[in-house]
Every structure is written in structure tokens, then in C-alpha cells.
Amino acid sequence: MRQQVVKIRKLLKENNIDVALVNSPENIYYLSGLTPNQLTVSRNPNFAGLIIKDHSDKMILTTMDYENATFENLNDEIVLDSYTTWVGLKNKEEIENKLDPSYDFKSSLDIIQEHLSEYEEKGKYNLGIELDFITATYLEEIKKRFPHANLINISNLFIKARSVKTDEEIKRFRNMVEVQDKALLEMSKHVKSGVKEKDLLDVYKSSIFEDGRFLPSGWTMIGFGENSSRLSRPTDRILENKDSIRFDGGVNADFDFYTTDFSRSWLMSDADPLLVEIKDILYQAQQNMIKSIKVGMKFSDLFNLGFNQVRESIPNYTRGHLGHSISLGPQTAEYPVINKDNHDTIKENMILCVEVPLYISGFGGFNIEDMVLVTKDGAEVLSHRSPHYLEFEKRK
């Protein structure tokens, strides 16, 4: 049985969930290693669902018959029960013999209702659903079809399970970070006065496309000077010798959903001395945080360590968090978050994005961020190939 399935089943049992319905494409992928295409494209829960029963080792995946071939290689932990759709899928015999059989058109929820009938017949039961993903309309339909169900949100259980990585996931992240890191290293070689934001980011993207294993994250950004202090798409702004540069981005695995996130902040040779001073402060705090990571440490203690170090030099420094977990998309920042209120403890095989940013409107911005793997002995920096400082940068 997949390690991911074992973890989810354990969490469902601990939370007294009798049966669970999974609708998000990323969590169906997390459990099965495959995802329905139409569900992934539309993000509409009506297109597919995965049922996990507490008394059965078999999960049930319902998706449109048009996608049956996609799931021919499903492992034996999952049973496929598809429904006939508006696509009008035919087989060769029907076309050759001009057959016109009558189809019993069913929806995904019709199939799910059939499989949950045993619970409805018994009376009250706990049904786990992904409230953070499904729509209000879908929720109302769930309530109508399953009147005996006590609905419990299981979205947080998946985030908890995904926070500690399996060996397979760690290997995947190593590959992804290698690709993003090498792409940024290549981009760093093109940093020079006169280059445009768009052109510099194109170097990063081209390197990733050339590798061919992953895609550049759609939200990846780069900003020069005043643009480095805000979230924005790359523009035609031209790099000057006085500018700060902030890159924030990563790669994603397309329909495999895994994603990365890291940042680099560089200063041109004639940058304001205040920017030089600030960057060194942020960098030292971030490096100290990474060196201090250990299994059993509270996230709040890790936050306070970095935050207080910056505050010693920048008394008015404010920041809500200094990092986060990451796994499958669509969001990059997942729980656990490194902030002052999170007293949960760091666990081995977590992958954390440790970041210490500071944004000064109209002047310049920084984010010092690395992806690290928590080991039994501390933390291994995965994003170690691209530099935090370029050769021409000044150091305080």
C-alpha cells in the first residue's frame, strides 16, 4: 500500500471518519498517483470523486468513461467505477454495426451515492469531505443526497499528511529543486546593466524548458529597483547599476502537482549602502535559522530566533511568518507555517521554505529564501546551487 494511503487512512481512523470523499485533483493524485484530466482542468468537484471506506482496503474512483484509458494502470488498491457522459464515447463494435444502445446516463454523484447507500441505510455516520475545495452548490447537493451524514472537513488532514514527505516525494523534490536551482544559476550569469526584467526571466524559463522535466511556475516573478518591493509580473524595466533585484519563483510538475518555491535577492555594484546593510542582516538571520533547525524544535521558536535577530538591527521590522511547508499545489505556502503562534514541532522529512523578507516601498525589496529538508541531524539545504551573492556585490 502506498505510504500516502497508509497515512491518510490512519488520520481518518483517528478522527472517527467512517467514509471519506476526496474531490480535489491534487489529493486524488496524492492517493492514487493519477488524476482525472477534466477534474484537473476545471477544478469542478462534479467531475470525479475518490471514496475511502473504513472497512475496505479498496478505494473507489469515479470519473467519466471518456477517461477510462487513463486509469488502466491503476494499482489494485483502487477500483474504477466510471459514469457515462455527454462526450458520447463509443466502442468500435457500436460504430461498425451501427448499434444504438440505450445508455443509463449517471453523474459522478450518482455513482458515489450508490457506494454510500450502505452507510445511509444504517443511519448516522461521519462523512469526510474537502470543504476547502468543493463549491457551495456541491455541498448543498451532498447534504441533500446524504441526509444521515455528519459532514466533517478533511482538508486539513491532507495538509497534515503532506507535511511529512515520503522517500518517493523527497526524491521528487530533489529533482525539482535541482532544475530550478540550475535555471537560476544560469539566469545569474546574465545579470548586467541594460537587461530587462522580462528578458532575464526568459533565461530562467528557457533553462527549465530545455531540461524538459518540469515547468516554470506561472507565478514566478522578478523585479528591479522599486519593482523588487512589490508583487508584480516582469516588465520592460531596464536594470541599472544602482538597483536591487528580487527573484521569487520555482517549478511545478504539471499534472503531478508538486511545486517549489525559493527566492534570491541581489544588489548591483552601485546599490545604496542601506540596501547592502539590510541584505546582510536578512541573510545572516536566515542562515542562522537554517543552522538551528532540529527535530522537535517548535516552529514558534524558529520564528522568534530569526525575527529577533533582524529586530536587533532593524527595530521596526515586522513580519507575519518566516517560512512554510510545501507539497502539492495549487498554493505554495502550506501548513505548518513558521510563525510566533505555531507551537507544533518540526518533524524529520519535512521540507520547509525558510525565508526572511523585507520590502521597502519605492526603494527596494528582499526575500532570502531556501528550500530545506529536515533530517535527523538538522537541515539539508536543497537549493544550494544558485548564489545568494553575485561576484560584484558589496558586503558590509
Side-chain angles (χ1 to χ4, degrees):
M1 186 178 292
R2 285 169 62 89
Q3 289 178 273
Q4 292 92 322
V5 176
V6 173
K7 288 199 289 184
I8 290 298
R9 282 194 178 278
K10 182 175 183 291
L11 287 170
L12 293 175
K13 185 175 182 179
E14 290 173 352
N15 288 270
N16 299 312
I17 308 295
D18 297 307
V19 59
L21 173 59
V22 182
N23 291 108
S24 69
E26 50 273 7
N27 284 334
I28 290 178
Y29 176 88
Y30 183 71
L31 292 169
S32 69
L34 293 168
T35 186
N37 185 295
Q38 190 64 51
L39 173 67
T40 302
V41 172
S42 68
R43 300 192 67 78
N44 183 333
N46 287 287
F47 279 114
L50 182 70
I51 301 168
I52 312 173
K53 298 183 178 181
D54 63 345
H55 59 268
S56 173
D57 288 335
K58 300 284 187 180
M59 296 179 288
I60 301 153
L61 176 63
T62 173
T63 186
M64 56 168 55
D65 56 1
Y66 184 49
E67 295 189 295
N68 280 354
T70 302
F71 298 97
E72 287 178 348
N73 296 321
L74 271 177
N75 58 58
D76 57 9
E77 299 168 4
I78 301 175
V79 176
L80 182 64
D81 191 355
S82 58
Y83 58 94
T84 306
T85 69
W86 42 265
V87 174
L89 184 67
K90 303 289 184 183
N91 60 44
K92 185 179 179 183
E93 181 185 3
E94 290 172 340
I95 297 298
E96 288 179 337
N97 298 313
K98 298 181 172 57
L99 299 178
D100 188 22
S102 58
Y103 289 104
D104 183 16
F105 283 94
K106 293 182 179 180
S107 69
S108 173
L109 266 175
D110 289 335
I111 300 292
I112 292 166
Q113 189 170 12
E114 291 174 2
H115 285 285
L116 266 59
S117 61
E118 60 181 290
Y119 295 93
E120 284 293 318
E121 291 169 2
K122 293 178 182 178
K124 291 293 182 181
Y125 62 100
N126 291 332
L127 171 60
I129 57 175
E130 293 184 272
L131 278 177
D132 293 2
F133 173 77
I134 64 174
T135 63
T137 303
Y138 192 82
L139 176 60
E140 289 306 309
E141 188 64 22
I142 289 285
K143 291 178 178 178
K144 183 171 70 174
R145 287 177 180 253
F146 309 112
H148 294 106
N150 175 37
L151 302 180
I152 299 175
N153 187 13
I154 58 172
S155 297
N156 60 323
L157 299 187
F158 276 92
I159 294 298
K160 182 177 181 180
R162 285 160 41 173
S163 68
V164 177
K165 308 302 185 282
T166 66
D167 293 341
E168 173 191 356
E169 289 177 303
I170 291 172
K171 181 179 179 180
R172 181 188 295 269
F173 271 107
R174 286 189 186 280
N175 290 335
M176 294 179 72
V177 175
E178 178 187 5
V179 171
Q180 71 169 24
D181 223 6
K182 286 183 176 180
L184 192 60
L185 176 61
E186 180 62 28
M187 191 188 85
S188 71
K189 299 174 184 177
H190 294 260
V191 174
K192 60 182 179 180
S193 179
V195 70
K196 295 179 180 179
E197 289 176 351
K198 288 181 178 178
D199 293 341
L200 203 53
L201 191 58
D202 281 343
V203 175
Y204 174 81
K205 292 179 178 179
S206 296
S207 177
I208 293 169
F209 285 129
E210 184 177 345
D211 179 274
R213 285 179 285 175
F214 306 106
L215 298 174
S217 296
W219 55 269
T220 297
M221 64 82 62
I222 190 167
F224 302 158
E226 66 277 4
N227 288 349
S228 65
S229 66
R230 62 188 178 93
L231 283 175
S232 64
R233 305 301 299 160
T235 69
D236 288 326
R237 190 195 188 287
I238 294 174
L239 184 61
E240 301 177 33
N241 280 331
K242 63 179 179 61
D243 283 338
S244 56
I245 305 168
R246 182 172 68 89
F247 166 92
D248 193 352
V251 300
N252 67 63
D254 198 23
F255 271 32
D256 289 352
F257 298 105
Y258 287 91
T259 190
T260 66
D261 177 25
F262 78 136
S263 296
R264 291 291 182 267
S265 294
W266 298 318
L267 295 174
M268 296 297 283
S269 57
D270 295 336
D272 190 296
L274 178 59
L275 292 175
V276 175
E277 179 181 4
I278 290 173
K279 177 178 175 178
D280 282 348
I281 292 168
L282 301 176
Y283 174 75
Q284 293 300 331
Q286 191 251 13
Q287 292 294 295
N288 193 25
M289 288 178 68
I290 293 173
K291 292 175 183 176
S292 301
I293 289 174
K294 60 182 178 180
V295 174
M297 183 182 193
K298 292 181 180 180
F299 286 98
S300 54
D301 289 341
L302 182 61
F303 172 85
N304 289 332
L305 188 152
F307 182 77
N308 291 336
Q309 183 171 335
V310 175
R311 275 261 177 145
E312 289 176 3
S313 301
I314 309 174
N316 61 350
Y317 181 67
T318 55
R319 177 69 183 172
H321 74 81
L322 294 179
H324 53 83
S325 178
I326 191 167
S327 64
L328 291 81
Q331 69 276 10
T332 56
E334 289 185 344
Y335 188 88
V337 176
I338 304 171
N339 65 24
K340 65 181 180 64
D341 298 317
N342 184 5
H343 303 301
D344 288 343
T345 58
I346 296 172
K347 295 179 175 59
E348 185 177 357
N349 291 341
M350 284 184 166
I351 291 181
L352 304 174
C353 300
V354 181
E355 57 181 325
V356 182
L358 175 60
Y359 308 114
I360 308 169
S361 179
F363 182 56
F366 301 95
N367 192 8
I368 315 296
E369 181 179 20
D370 281 294
M371 291 183 64
V372 303
L373 169 67
V374 179
T375 68
K376 63 180 180 180
D377 301 316
E380 175 192 348
V381 178
L382 300 178
S383 50
H384 59 82
R385 299 168 188 84
S386 56
H388 279 286
Y389 286 86
L390 300 183
E391 290 183 0
F392 50 75
E393 283 195 69
K394 297 176 182 177
R395 304 286 294 267
K396 181 174 171 57

